[in-house]
Amino acid sequence: YVLFLHFQILGAVILGFGVWILADKTSFIAVLQMSSPSLKTGAYILIGVGALTMLMGFLGCLGAVNEIRCLLGLYFTCLMIILLAQIAAALVIYFQKETLKVELSGIVVDLIENYDPLDEDKRNLQDAWDYVQTQIACCGWTGPKEWENNEILRNKSNTEYPCSCSNRSKDLVEGRGFCNLEDPLNGTATYADWPVHEQGCMDGVEEWLKDNLGIILGVCTGVAVIELLGMILSISLCKNIHSEDYTKVPKS
């Protein structure tokens, strides 16, 4: 019965993760979910899977305690569907990773080109990207040169630069919007004149994924093992209930 209870806990964790993706407004996840409909759809799927997993845990407990074979069979079927769906999702992500990378690059580049501190409608999205640049100590997606395509900075001859890209602590106090160059230049400035980080955020995000890949794979493997144990346990209980039914039949 402990294993079935674990599924309820697991379902609550998955559901909570989906809610967190939708509610998070200050991280790279926020940039993705506010820009890409696919991630928002994925968050709703996680919420649905979490709720279904919790329901399965309850049905599994109920079926085991009351020896109801149909509930255990339903539990096994749902668990198998979820496991197959997880494997399919992992394969899609693996084989489509280059496509996803291009889509992600387009999202961030478009955000940078249209960044406007006075646009309240996009404030949450822009604040999330400022947070990413500040925390990872990076600038732009592939580098600070992308910020030269921002319409506001172009109109100001690039004599301003994004504060969240700055490598100076006093600029990071503001943390958003644009900062002015201390030494005004004659003519048009370039990103090379800005006191900003040279590393693009793409490298920082990839480095974070590499550093945490072991943890991610470990969690996914652990979830898959628990699901397989649940399937094996439900089959065993079904067989035991079937055997007990025959032993209880009175002999003539």
Side-chain angles (χ1 to χ4, degrees), residues 19-238:
V19 172
W20 171 70
I21 290 177
L22 292 177
D24 187 5
K25 303 299 181 186
T26 58
S27 73
F28 190 64
I29 292 294
V31 176
L32 294 181
Q33 72 100 350
M34 284 187 279
S35 304
S36 176
S38 58
L39 185 66
K40 188 174 290 188
T41 302
Y44 286 119
I45 292 174
L46 283 175
I47 292 173
V49 169
L52 181 60
T53 304
M54 292 178 67
L55 177 62
M56 284 193 310
F58 173 75
L59 292 177
C61 284
L62 191 63
V65 171
N66 297 289
E67 298 185 348
I68 304 174
R69 293 186 65 198
C70 64
L71 287 181
L72 291 172
L74 179 62
Y75 174 82
F76 172 84
T77 303
C78 292
L79 205 55
M80 183 174 63
I81 291 173
I82 289 179
L83 182 60
L84 292 175
Q86 289 172 343
I87 294 173
L91 291 174
V92 168
I93 292 173
Y94 179 78
F95 288 110
Q96 297 292 323
K97 58 184 178 181
E98 291 303 320
T99 302
L100 294 173
K101 190 175 180 179
V102 171
E103 179 185 353
L104 177 57
S105 176
I107 290 170
V108 176
V109 168
D110 182 69
L111 168 62
I112 290 172
E113 291 178 355
N114 296 287
Y115 183 97
D116 182 358
L118 301 179
D119 189 346
E120 291 297 326
D121 293 334
K122 296 182 179 178
R123 172 136 192 183
N124 287 336
L125 177 60
Q126 294 175 163
D127 285 350
W129 181 242
D130 284 328
Y131 177 84
V132 170
Q133 292 190 138
T134 302
Q135 293 300 310
I136 300 181
C138 59
C139 191
W141 184 239
T142 58
K145 184 174 177 60
E146 290 167 344
W147 278 99
E148 287 186 341
N149 297 321
N150 178 269
E151 185 176 351
I152 295 176
L153 294 182
R154 280 206 315 266
N155 290 338
K156 295 184 178 181
S157 300
N158 289 330
T159 55
E160 294 186 359
Y161 56 92
C163 296
S164 58
C165 281
S166 178
N167 54 26
R168 300 188 301 187
S169 56
K170 65 177 183 179
D171 291 334
L172 297 178
V173 173
E174 175 63 25
R176 70 182 306 272
F178 300 124
C179 295
N180 292 299
L181 285 171
E182 290 184 348
D183 300 320
L185 301 176
N186 293 326
T188 301
T190 67
Y191 74 93
D193 301 309
W194 298 342
V196 298
H197 300 289
E198 296 181 2
Q199 181 191 34
C201 295
M202 179 179 68
D203 295 333
V205 170
E206 288 182 347
E207 185 177 343
W208 179 87
L209 287 174
K210 289 178 182 177
D211 292 341
N212 294 275
L213 185 60
I215 297 174
I216 295 171
L217 290 176
V219 170
C220 292
T221 302
V223 170
V225 169
I226 293 175
E227 289 172 343
L228 284 172
L229 288 175
M231 292 169 66
I232 294 170
L233 179 60
S234 61
I235 291 176
S236 299
L237 288 173
C238 278

